[in-house]
């Protein structure tokens, strides 16, 4: 195991009705006037925004509202949010929604105290030195942004989707009520489940040896997702299964399951170009990319792929030919994703093979290499897109 530091300061408030305590937690974490930042309408339609506003009013917290965050959040709304916060003297950002509302909130939080353009943090020109505090009320188990120090935003003008990170933007608190996720369409539930599993796999495939504890934590999250996701697809209001998925989504991405080991993250980078170009859901893009990435790299450590095939999918270990077991595990993953309604290839996702050169160019590694498990060149990435384009069950 490698040396590590792990900072996960977020206060998680979990369970039924907890959104009604939003005001208490904003006050506890020092907020007096919040920007209430949310998405395209689900939280308004369900009455959640009204309940959160009542809770804020009961705690004497002032409120400024900015809705309209789109999935794959855009820089344009972030600029509006920064202006609004400065004008209104906002001292706390409360995100209500999923990864998109939370990431947009984090971008606003880091932009308010910064004299330059907030995009500097996303293009690597500046490191985050200060940010307004952020809290969240989560409505979809997926991106894990409620417990992560990351934010991903798309620049509208040229469609560049980029991420940044710092412990300074980890939420101060996150309210997790599994009931709120019962209104999710099955497709969004499945996209979220795929993203959660991908966050674990990005960490599971590592060159670091002797990491039994994090291997086993990863497997616990994956086994939970394989058990619970079909249950909520069949019965959306199954509270206990929703609860297990919601906590799995948070645990998958606080980095608890990834400390002390090298991580990969190429599948995420490769996917982000798809959701930037086609505006598809991040989880759907991952469903197409991650099995293709696995097929491309599995020979780098056949035994690790065979191990997860046995432990997660119950495959029979073929000791004479472990590569057979490894490939069977990847097939099981793709079949599972298909069974929960995820796309298998470019055509099902709505992507086009002729765009591959453009996707690789926007990925932007030039002659370099990237990735923690297997270092990939631009030609390798093009090949992964091609495998994804033609994938079948
Ligand atoms: O906008 P509304 O109307 O709320 O609709 C949303 C949206 O259409 C809907 N939804 C959310 N909760 C709902 C609901 N519909 C009915 N009932 C509910 N309870 O679901 C759709 C997707 O929402 P979104 O916030 O986009 O989902 P997700 O949490 O998957 O976030 C995706 C974004 O997070 C980024 C992704 O790249 C993408 O931009 N990521 C952020 C990460 C991070 N900050 O740590 C890590 C991830 O790997 C990921 O890259
Ligand atoms: Zn993700």
């Amino acid at each position: 195991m490698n040396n590590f530091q792990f900072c996960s300061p977020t206060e998680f408030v979990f369970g039924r009705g907890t959104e009604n305590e939003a005001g208490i937690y904003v006050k506890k974490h020092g907020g007096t006037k919040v920007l209430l930042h949310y998405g395209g309408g689900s939280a308004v339609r369900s009455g959640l925004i009204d309940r959160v506003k009542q809770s804020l009013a009961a705690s004497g917290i002032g409120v400024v509202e900015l809705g309209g965050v789109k999935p794959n959040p855009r820089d344009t709304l972030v600029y509006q949010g920064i202006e609004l916060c400065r004008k209104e003297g906002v001292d706390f950002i409360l995100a209500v929604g999923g990864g998109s509302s939370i990431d947009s909130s984090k971008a606003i939080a880091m932009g308010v105290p910064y004299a330059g353009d907030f995009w500097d943090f996303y293009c690597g020109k500046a490191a985050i030195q200060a940010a307004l505090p952020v809290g969240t009320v989560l409505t979809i188990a997926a991106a894990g942004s409620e417990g992560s120090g990351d934010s991903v935003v798309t620049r509208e003008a040229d469609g560049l989707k980029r991420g940044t990170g710092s412990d300074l933007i980890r939420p101060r608190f996150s309210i997790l009520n599994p009931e709120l996720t019962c209104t999710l369409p099955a497709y969004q539930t499945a996209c979220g489940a795929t993203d959660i599993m991908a966050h674990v796999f990005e960490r599971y495939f590592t060159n670091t040896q002797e990491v039994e504890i994090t291997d086993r934590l990863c497997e616990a999250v994956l086994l939970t997702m394989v058990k619970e996701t079909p249950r909520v697809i069949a019965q959306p209001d199954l509270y206990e299964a929703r609860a297990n998925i919601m906590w799995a989504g948070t645990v998958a991405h606080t980095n608890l399951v990834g400390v002390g080991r090298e991580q990969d993250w190429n599948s995420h980078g490769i996917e982000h170009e798809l959701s930037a170009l086609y505006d598809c859901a991040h989880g759907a893009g991952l469903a197409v990319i991650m099995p293709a990435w696995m097929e491309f790299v599995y020979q780098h450590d056949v035994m690790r792929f065979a191990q997860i095939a046995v432990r997660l999918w119950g495959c029979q270990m073929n000791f004479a030919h472990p590569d057979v077991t490894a490939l069977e595990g990847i097939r099981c993953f793709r079949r599972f994703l298909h069974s929960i309604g995820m796309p298998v290839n470019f055509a099902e996702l709505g992507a086009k093979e002729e765009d591959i050169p453009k996707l690789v160019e926007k990925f932007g590694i030039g002659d370099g290499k990237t990735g923690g498990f297997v270092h990939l060149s631009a030609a390798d990435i093009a090949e992964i897109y091609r495998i994804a384009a033609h994938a079948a069950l």
Side-chain angles (χ1 to χ4, degrees):
M1 198 187 298
N2 298 336
N3 290 4
F4 66 85
Q5 282 172 290
F6 179 51
C7 168
S8 181
T10 308
E11 180 170 13
F12 295 107
V13 185
F14 193 98
R16 296 180 197 268
T18 44
E19 68 274 18
N20 298 317
E21 295 167 33
I24 294 171
Y25 285 95
V26 169
K27 198 170 185 174
K28 178 174 172 183
H29 289 275
T32 61
K33 188 169 187 183
V34 302
L35 178 75
L36 187 59
H37 197 39
Y38 51 90
S42 74
V44 175
R45 282 193 301 278
S46 67
L48 174 61
I49 293 295
D50 282 343
R51 293 204 297 284
V52 169
K53 284 200 300 201
Q54 278 167 24
S55 166
L56 293 168
S59 290
I61 309 289
V63 178
V64 180
E65 276 184 64
L66 183 62
V69 181
K70 293 181 184 159
N72 304 315
R74 315 302 150 93
D75 62 337
T76 39
L77 195 65
V78 172
Y79 289 115
Q80 275 185 47
I82 292 169
E83 280 306 307
L84 193 58
C85 286
R86 286 178 182 158
K87 191 172 121 227
E88 297 283 345
V90 162
D91 57 17
F92 198 100
I93 318 279
L94 182 60
V96 179
S100 296
S101 295
I102 300 172
D103 285 5
S104 185
S105 295
K106 289 173 174 177
I108 295 169
M110 67 184 90
V112 170
Y114 182 59
D117 181 348
F118 92 93
W119 189 256
D120 291 350
F121 301 122
Y122 291 77
C123 67
K125 253 174 83 176
I128 302 164
Q129 303 288 350
L132 291 184
V134 175
T136 86
V137 178
L138 187 66
T139 64
I140 173 172
S145 188
E146 70 278 7
S148 84
D150 305 321
S151 165
V152 186
V153 172
T154 299
R155 187 162 65 178
E156 191 114 45
D158 56 5
L160 262 198
K161 184 173 183 176
R162 291 292 181 263
T164 188
S166 161
D167 284 334
L168 292 168
I169 55 168
R170 282 184 184 258
R172 301 296 171 95
F173 70 84
S174 281
I175 290 180
L176 312 178
N177 176 0
E179 288 174 318
L180 300 179
T181 66
C182 293
T183 55
L184 279 167
Y187 184 76
Q188 288 297 341
T189 297
C191 288
T194 307
D195 196 17
I196 292 169
M197 293 180 77
H199 291 162
V200 177
F201 281 132
E202 296 280 18
R203 296 171 163 101
Y204 194 80
F205 295 107
T206 182
N207 296 311
T208 313
Q209 299 299 307
E210 302 281 354
V211 281
E212 183 69 5
I213 174 65
T214 39
D215 269 5
R216 294 297 187 177
L217 289 170
C218 285
E219 289 158 11
V221 176
L222 292 168
L223 285 162
T224 301
M225 296 308 297
V226 170
K227 177 179 176 219
E228 302 291 37
T229 308
R231 295 178 76 205
V232 296
I233 300 278
Q235 193 184 330
D237 61 353
L238 207 56
Y239 178 85
E240 296 300 344
R242 289 282 187 193
N244 280 307
I245 289 175
M246 196 167 219
W247 190 234
T250 302
V251 169
H253 203 42
T254 59
N255 208 27
L256 177 69
V257 305
V259 292
R261 51 200 285 152
E262 267 178 31
Q263 305 179 8
D264 189 71
W265 295 99
N266 263 334
S267 295
H268 265 70
I270 295 170
E271 188 297 309
H272 281 159
E273 300 310 331
L274 292 177
S275 45
L277 188 61
Y278 304 111
D279 206 13
C280 59
H282 169 60
L286 284 168
V288 171
I289 292 300
M290 194 145 225
W293 171 84
M294 288 179 175
E295 281 167 352
F296 188 76
V297 305
Y298 79 95
Q299 282 163 326
H300 178 73
D301 188 347
V302 170
M303 290 311 289
R304 182 152 277 278
F305 276 89
Q307 171 177 295
I308 195 66
V310 172
R311 292 184 182 175
L312 178 59
W313 305 111
C315 298
Q316 222 25 44
M317 182 65 194
N318 185 331
F319 289 98
H321 301 288
D323 52 313
V324 172
T325 312
L327 282 171
E328 182 54 21
I330 299 167
R331 260 192 299 278
C332 287
F333 181 36
R334 193 179 267 131
R335 271 189 238 124
F336 173 78
L337 294 173
H338 174 71
S339 76
I340 61 170
M342 286 289 92
V344 165
N345 51 37
F346 265 30
E348 290 183 19
L349 182 69
K352 297 194 195 98
E353 190 174 4
E354 60 263 32
D355 287 335
I356 290 176
K358 194 195 293 180
L359 291 163
V360 174
E361 197 197 322
K362 287 184 91 182
F363 190 89
I365 53 163
D367 294 333
K369 289 201 168 195
T370 178
F373 179 58
V374 178
H375 304 298
L376 300 179
S377 66
D380 297 331
I381 287 160
E383 185 53 28
I384 289 168
Y385 280 127
R386 268 190 290 277
I387 296 171
H390 295 283
L393 291 174

